Amino acid sequence: MNFRKLLFIATLQVLGALIIVFFALCNIRTEQIKAASHVKEEVTSIIYLLSSYYNSELTHVIDTKSCQKKLRSLNDFVMLVPPLKSINISNPKFIFCSTFFQTRQVETPSWFLIEKNKQFIFSNYAPTNTRLSLGDRKVFLLQFKTKDSVTAAFSIYAENLYKLLHFTEDDYFELYLKVSNGFFSSAGPSNTKFIQDFIDGSVDGDGLFKVYYKTSLSRFITYTIRNYDGIIILWILTSILSSHYLYMVLFLFDRKARKIRSGLKRSQFYPYLQPLFDKNGQVCAAEVLARWIDEKGNVISPAEFIHEAEVNGLVKDITSQLVDKCIQSLKEVRIPPERQFIIGLNVCPIQFEDNQLFDDINRLISKLKRNNIQTAIEITERQEFASDEHYIASIDKLKEMDVVISLDDFGTGHCSLKYLHQVNVDTIKIDKSYISLIVSGNNNDVLENIIDLSDRLNVKLIAEGIETETQYNFLLKKNINCFQGFLLGKPIPINDFIKKYLS
């Protein structure tokens, strides 16, 4: 296996990994946003409940007298809202109204004083009655400031909000609550600086807080492996098994197509002619075969490029180049009137999709019409016509141009009988696979049937691929019109052909 192919397989693996990572990123981001939104909704609902109570009950509590009227309501509300620890109302000097201290005045802590009308902060300490308060005194404070410099502070148990942040059992990502004075995780206050990691983002809580989500690279890798292990294994196996085919399609075919285009620009495609003989041994026709001669003089067989040329449509330009060179070489050749000579071009259905083939044939006929050289096309069966109507119309157009229509490789494809049925074909070329079966035994039933079919349809027969005397002698006894094969004459450059057969 060459280095380029190994590199392609590696690239394929990396591409698959990137696709899987992309989907994993999208999914974990969706899970993160969902978790963060859940925390946001829970915290927002608590803040909304406390804000509503403040607006309806506490905006007019500005001194001890007004506090006495609301104390029962304050205590009842704290009992009804589990996350709520206490409510404390203060002026710049004293807490004068509290669910802990009632109306007893307690000095106002400095951090109780706020500049904004509303804020949400964290405190390591909340004013409590030490005789009654047990456990951690850390709280989140939702504070409201009235126009009389009175502050109402709702103390929320910190543990309640910490629990909201513990969202995933698998611990693929972390959630952080950010208030104006710090970051907090499920474990409590974050002592380290919050660092944007592999994935990060946040959802906003109406300007009072934000819920951040983040994951580390190691956690993301764990998430991807645990959730996409089957897809990863399937991709590895699929890419390995299909890499050869994909490599051929994406690189070799395309690379060959580029080389063919380069060869066309350099006019490197040349016509080689293989002779066809009648029963008298006289040359009656020639099949034009493409040979690609590169800049080093290497002759490249059609087997190495014709398929790619047909797939990419470059066979049209190759045919045009062959026609031009045939005209150039044959324009001075004069065939006697009593002698028939046909020059045949191999074509495939893709060449009938536009007028380029018809222009080539018309140019060949017009340039050689005084030379007594007739034109034929040999339709190959490697491809099928797009539609029967298109096929019939194309053949009719060629017949009007007095072009001989021949079916090449007859009997090897799925279209032979259909083509015979739909249009008036002039010639059938028996494929060499049937000729190779000619032996002294009785393995020639299909060949005999083709010969019989041509007799019934009054269609001329050409036997191609004759390589032995046994084959040739057998065919001479049959109703065969022309003979072709290496035994009789190999394809040679057109100028050599003219000197050998047409001088």
Side-chain angles (χ1 to χ4, degrees):
M1 188 179 294
N2 60 45
F3 175 76
R4 182 170 181 176
K5 190 171 183 180
L6 286 172
L7 182 62
F8 171 73
I9 294 174
T11 303
L12 204 62
Q13 299 282 0
V14 171
L15 177 62
L18 290 175
I19 292 173
I20 293 171
V21 167
F22 172 77
F23 282 104
L25 281 172
C26 292
N27 286 338
I28 199 171
R29 176 60 63 86
T30 300
E31 292 182 22
Q32 288 175 317
I33 294 174
K34 183 178 178 181
S37 298
H38 171 76
V39 174
K40 173 199 167 184
E41 290 171 3
E42 291 294 322
V43 176
T44 300
S45 66
I46 294 172
I47 292 175
Y48 176 78
L49 177 63
L50 302 183
S51 299
S52 299
Y53 181 77
Y54 168 78
N55 290 327
S56 64
E57 301 291 336
L58 302 183
T59 54
H60 298 295
V61 178
I62 58 174
D63 51 29
T64 303
K65 183 178 180 180
S66 56
C67 173
Q68 290 175 340
K69 298 178 182 179
K70 293 294 182 179
L71 265 179
R72 185 173 180 178
S73 172
L74 292 174
N75 290 319
D76 290 344
F77 186 70
V78 170
M79 294 296 294
L80 290 173
V81 182
L84 189 58
K85 185 173 185 177
S86 65
I87 302 174
N88 298 279
I89 305 174
S90 67
N91 57 36
K93 293 184 177 181
F94 302 102
I95 296 176
F96 61 84
C97 186
S98 170
T99 55
F100 275 129
F101 308 114
Q102 304 301 303
T103 58
R104 181 166 61 89
Q105 292 186 347
V106 178
E107 185 179 353
T108 301
S110 60
W111 43 266
F112 245 55
L113 303 175
I114 64 173
E115 298 296 331
K116 300 178 181 178
N117 292 328
K118 184 178 182 181
Q119 73 176 15
F120 188 48
I121 64 171
F122 173 80
S123 174
N124 283 307
Y125 167 81
T128 60
N129 186 331
T130 54
R131 290 176 297 175
L132 300 175
S133 178
L134 299 174
D136 194 347
R137 300 174 71 182
K138 295 182 177 66
V139 293
F140 285 92
L141 296 176
L142 179 63
Q143 297 174 296
F144 299 89
K145 181 180 180 182
T146 68
K147 61 183 179 179
D148 299 306
S149 298
V150 173
T151 299
F154 293 83
S155 300
I156 303 168
Y157 286 104
E159 293 86 349
N160 285 71
L161 300 191
Y162 295 163
K163 290 177 182 178
L164 292 175
L165 300 173
H166 186 69
F167 190 83
T168 58
E169 293 182 0
D170 292 323
D171 203 27
Y172 294 131
F173 56 86
E174 293 178 286
L175 296 175
Y176 288 82
L177 177 66
K178 181 184 183 298
V179 296
S180 59
N181 61 340
F183 281 96
F184 305 88
S185 68
S186 59
S190 179
N191 295 322
T192 58
K193 183 179 179 181
F194 185 78
I195 301 173
Q196 290 186 344
D197 210 338
F198 192 62
I199 306 172
D200 72 289
S202 65
V203 292
D204 186 62
D206 300 324
L208 292 175
F209 68 94
K210 284 187 178 181
V211 182
Y212 282 82
Y213 47 87
K214 78 182 188 79
T215 187
S216 64
L217 179 59
S218 60
R219 288 177 179 177
F220 175 72
I221 292 173
T222 302
Y223 172 85
T224 303
I225 293 174
R226 289 183 180 177
N227 290 275
Y228 295 89
D229 53 346
I231 297 176
I232 292 171
I233 294 171
L234 181 62
W235 174 257
I236 291 173
L237 293 175
T238 302
S239 61
I240 291 175
L241 293 175
S242 63
S243 60
H244 175 73
Y245 174 76
L246 291 173
Y247 179 78
M248 294 289 291
V249 171
L250 296 176
F251 289 95
L252 292 188
F253 283 3
D254 185 62
R255 184 175 63 184
K256 286 185 177 180
R258 291 197 301 269
K259 287 186 176 181
I260 292 172
R261 291 188 181 95
S262 177
L264 285 166
K265 289 180 180 179
R266 292 182 171 91
S267 190
Q268 293 178 343
F269 292 90
Y270 293 87
Y272 273 49
L273 272 56
Q274 184 174 22
L276 282 71
F277 298 86
D278 59 21
K279 284 197 171 186
N280 297 321
Q282 186 177 27
V283 173
C284 59
E287 180 181 359
V288 178
L289 300 169
R291 293 294 185 269
W292 183 1
I293 303 178
D294 63 19
E295 57 274 7
K296 296 180 181 179
N298 300 315
V299 180
I300 304 172
S301 168
E304 298 186 34
F305 65 84
I306 201 66
H307 174 65
E308 287 76 21
E310 289 181 356
V311 169
N312 290 281
L314 297 173
V315 69
K316 300 176 185 180
D317 296 324
I318 292 175
T319 299
S320 297
Q321 200 164 108
L322 296 178
V323 166
D324 289 338
K325 291 180 179 179
C326 283
I327 292 172
Q328 185 65 28
S329 297
L330 291 170
K331 64 182 181 181
E332 302 299 332
V333 175
R334 295 291 184 268
I335 305 298
E338 67 278 5
R339 182 180 174 186
Q340 182 190 41
F341 183 74
I342 300 173
I343 184 167
L345 298 170
N346 285 291
V347 298
C348 60
I350 194 175
Q351 293 180 257
F352 291 86
E353 293 179 356
D354 53 38
N355 291 323
Q356 186 171 347
L357 174 65
F358 298 101
D359 293 339
D360 290 336
I361 293 175
N362 187 60
R363 189 167 69 257
L364 185 64
I365 292 173
S366 63
K367 295 294 183 180
L368 301 180
K369 62 182 178 181
R370 296 182 180 180
N371 303 57
N372 195 28
I373 298 175
Q374 191 173 8
T375 302
I377 64 163
E378 300 179 12
I379 303 174
T380 63
E381 291 196 87
R382 288 186 291 270
Q383 297 174 333
E384 187 177 5
F385 279 86
S387 67
D388 294 343
E389 294 79 9
H390 182 61
Y391 166 66
I392 294 171
S394 299
I395 299 302
D396 288 344
K397 185 175 180 179
L398 290 170
K399 295 288 283 186
E400 292 174 1
M401 298 167 67
D402 198 28
V403 175
V404 177
I405 308 299
S406 177
L407 290 185
D408 198 12
D409 306 323
F410 185 81
T412 60
H414 58 284
C415 309
S416 301
L417 294 177
K418 183 175 75 171
Y419 289 167
L420 274 177
H421 172 72
Q422 291 176 334
V423 297
N424 183 20
V425 174
D426 299 297
T427 306
I428 290 174
K429 293 191 76 173
I430 306 172
D431 186 69
K432 62 182 180 181
S433 61
Y434 298 108
I435 304 301
S436 65
L437 294 175
I438 297 174
V439 291
S440 56
N442 298 318
N443 297 324
N444 304 310
D445 292 343
V446 175
L447 177 59
E448 295 284 3
N449 286 332
I450 293 175
I451 294 172
D452 181 64
L453 177 65
S454 70
D455 289 339
R456 293 174 183 272
L457 297 176
N458 194 28
V459 175
K460 293 181 179 180
L461 270 181
I462 298 174
E464 64 176 342
I466 302 171
E467 297 180 351
T468 67
E469 291 287 350
T470 300
Q471 295 169 351
Y472 184 48
N473 292 331
F474 177 88
L475 293 168
L476 279 173
K477 300 173 185 178
K478 304 298 179 179
N479 189 21
I480 307 293
N481 301 93
C482 291
F483 306 86
Q484 180 183 2
F486 278 16
L487 176 70
L488 306 175
K490 295 182 179 181
I492 57 177
I494 186 170
N495 292 330
D496 295 343
F497 182 92
I498 292 171
K499 292 176 183 179
K500 185 172 182 179
Y501 298 108
L502 300 181
S503 296

